[in-house]
Every structure is written in structure tokens, then in C-alpha cells.
Amino acid sequence: MKISKISIKNYRSLRGVTTDAASFNVFVGQNNHGKTNLFEAVEWFYSGKGEISEIRHVDAGSAEVEVEIEFSGVKESIERITHQDNQTKLRNVLGDADTMRVKRASAAPKDRLLFHPSSGQWKKQPTGTDSAFNNCIPRFEFVEATKNLKDVSAYKKNTPIEQMLGAVIAEIIAKDPAYGAFHNAFDAFFQAPGSGVRRTLNDLSERVRGHLALQFPDCAQVAFKIVEPTIDEFLKNYETRVNDGVETRAEDKGDGMQRALMLAIIKTHADFRREDALGREFIFFLDEAELHLHPTAQRQLKQALLDLTASVDQVFITTHSPVLIADDHSKQRIFRVEKVERDTEVHPVTGTGKHDVVYNLLGGSPGDLL
């Protein structure tokens, strides 16, 4: 399943925008013209999170904020839903259609609405199908321009590294006989009555108890215990190192290397989650994808992103770089994003229109080109 069309009403500067989508979509335009707003609108479609008064277009009054997405390739995705009843519920709505229209609106931001082709009406998705529906539509991966390597490589709750390492390594360690041996050695070193550490801790705790008993005579014991670290605590101390001729921590590499490594981790994370989701598709939204990358690395990035679309994934990027749009590709579609007064407009770029876009990305004047 892929996105075939995005329609947005009254989301920030997007008063009324509708755009078709290809496998590889590039949005170009000047700063503060609404490129990121487009991506954040799709994020709102997926999550429903956000204060409506803050995301509603400044001139919209009390009009609803709406984000509608049309998905294609629906039949194949429905087949992947394991629960037969949920398959039936969605087919009862969609019939034989291979497209599906879904929207979220500010009137009920927690609900997603499905368009019923037979009645021509919008209705809440069938009761009890939330999980199935979420497993049917593509997974959403949004990489904001402000996201950095630490956001994805630190072992913290819900980071890509934590999701990849946590459950997998915990299961491996728990089953490994060497971990059992470590557990016994830890007890012998820190807990056994005859260990030097245990004797020292007991001596210190008895001294503390003696001082405490002067104030609280009923205190019979104070015990100091060293608790065995959990597997998570071991992993929190790991670090990422990169050897590109000189081995250092990843955080000590240049911005370009860090950005490229971050995107590589996110791609690996997608592969990892896909294996757990029966081949489910991903859509990647990358804001300023070329950030910190040399033009040579930008070309390599574009090829890597195009390779993603060769299977089942879909890519949307914003850019200020002519490198990412200079080469034509059958799966590529370019959009110009510009703000007219306070409204953002999105127009496909075709034919010789790309020459003008490249010229403006290179500076927009003969002096800049020279």
C-alpha cells in the first residue's frame, strides 16, 4: 500500500492543498514557505496529536482542519491482516476497490474516518479494527531537520536502537549459559558471606546502624546490598564507534558522517520492524534530507532512497539542493512549494520548469552561479 494523494485543509499555512504522490517525491522551495508544514500535517494524520488552535490556519476562523490521504494497493495489504473478521469489516466498507480514502478532522481529532464508496459518506472506521487498520496502512517514519544522531542512537525508551537491541539482546542473554555463570559469579563476589566486598559492606552497615541506634534504639539492622544490573542497564552504557580510517565515537565524527549514520540506523530500523510486520510498507518523510552532506554524499543518499522505493517503500523529502533533483528518474516527482501571502501552494514541476527550479536552488542570479 502506498500514498497516492494527499489533501490538506487549514493546517498551518496549508489553506487548501491537494497533491498526487509518486514513489519518490521531492519538495523544493524557499525557507518558511510551508514544506515542513506539509510533512507535519501527515504526521498529524497519523497521530492526531496537536493543539488545534495552534495548527489551524490563521485565516480559517473556526473552519475544520482536515488531512485526507488516499492509499492505493489496498487489496494486497488487507490480505496481510491476520484476523479474518477484520479483513471482512474493511472489505464490507471498500468493496472491490483497490484504493482507500482516510481522513482525520479537527472536529474529532482522535478518530479516523473511512470513505464508504457505496454510500458516498465518511464514517468512523469499523469498531474493533484499530489495530488491524494500523497494521494495514504503511508505517510512518518522519525525520525532522532538527533530529540528530543522539535521537536515534541513544539507548532510551522508543529510540530505534532501543527497539532493535532491547528485546533481541535480552532474549539472547537470558538463554546464554554464560549469563548464568555471570549471575553466579556476581553473587559470589558481592553477596557471598566470605567475599571481601560483602565483609566490607557489612562492616560499614554495622557502623551506620550503631550511629542510627543512638536516635532510634529499635533499629536492629542496616543492610547495604549491591543489586545485579538488569540487561537494560548494561545496554545503556554502550556507545557507537565508527572506523573510517580513524576509529572514534560516532558523536566525534563530522556532521555529514553523523547525518548519514543516523539515516542508516533509521533504514536498518525499518528493515527490522518490517520483518516483524509481515512485509508491511514504510513511508519515509525526510525534512532537508541533504543536511550536512557533501554533494557526492547527496547523490549517494538519493540512490539509497531510490533503492528503498524499488521494493515497497515510499519516500518524501524536502530539499534546498539541486543535486537531489538534477537527475531524472521514472519514479521521481518534483513539487515546487511557495507561499503566496499567507497561503502555501504546491505545484508539480514538469518539463523545462525543472530548469527554473535548479536555477533558483543554485542562487537565482548569474553572480551566484559564477
Side-chain angles (χ1 to χ4, degrees), residues 6-19 38 57 60 64 66 342-347:
I6 302 172
S7 298
I8 304 168
K9 294 181 180 178
N10 300 318
Y11 187 94
R12 299 194 189 277
S13 64
L14 303 164
R15 188 67 181 272
V17 168
T18 297
T19 183
L38 179 71
H57 191 289
E64 279 202 71
E66 293 184 1
R342 291 191 287 198
D343 294 345
T344 293
E345 298 179 355
V346 180
H347 301 289

Side-chain angles (χ1 to χ4, degrees), residues 30-198:
Q30 297 182 25
N31 290 330
N32 199 39
H33 274 236
K35 300 186 301 296
T36 302
N37 288 346
L38 179 71
F39 283 19
E40 290 179 346
V42 177
E43 183 180 36
W44 182 74
F45 167 86
Y46 267 82
S47 70
K49 296 178 181 178
E51 180 59 46
I52 300 302
S53 62
E54 295 179 1
I55 65 176
R56 182 184 277 117
H57 191 289
V58 67
D59 296 325
S62 60
E64 279 202 71
V65 179
E66 293 184 1
V67 179
E68 176 187 336
I69 294 183
E70 179 183 273
F71 295 97
S72 61
V74 172
K75 290 182 179 179
E76 183 178 349
S77 294
I78 291 178
E79 290 291 339
R80 298 196 191 106
I81 298 175
T82 54
H83 199 293
Q84 189 65 43
D85 287 346
N86 288 336
Q87 282 191 26
T88 302
K89 288 177 181 178
L90 286 177
R91 288 197 180 102
N92 287 341
V93 173
L94 301 173
D96 292 329
D98 199 34
T99 60
M100 176 174 65
R101 294 171 59 191
V102 190
K103 76 174 178 180
R104 192 184 296 274
S106 56
K110 293 184 179 181
D111 296 331
R112 271 189 303 235
L113 305 176
L114 285 177
F115 182 75
H116 290 232
S118 58
S119 65
Q121 295 180 332
W122 289 96
K123 299 180 182 180
K124 285 181 62 175
Q125 62 192 60
T127 302
T129 62
D130 282 5
S131 177
F133 184 80
N134 288 333
N135 286 325
C136 179
I137 63 175
R139 287 180 181 262
F140 175 74
E141 194 76 55
F142 182 26
V143 184
E144 304 96 325
T146 55
K147 183 171 282 190
N148 58 46
L149 180 62
K150 289 183 179 179
D151 293 329
V152 301
S153 66
Y155 190 85
K156 297 179 180 178
K157 186 177 181 181
N158 294 329
T159 63
I161 286 294
E162 189 273 339
Q163 292 183 18
M164 287 191 289
L165 294 184
V168 175
I169 291 185
E171 184 176 354
I172 292 172
I173 291 177
K175 293 179 179 179
D176 194 322
Y179 182 70
F182 165 79
H183 177 79
N184 294 334
F186 183 93
D187 281 348
F189 192 73
F190 290 105
Q191 308 296 356
S195 78
V197 172
R198 184 70 265 156

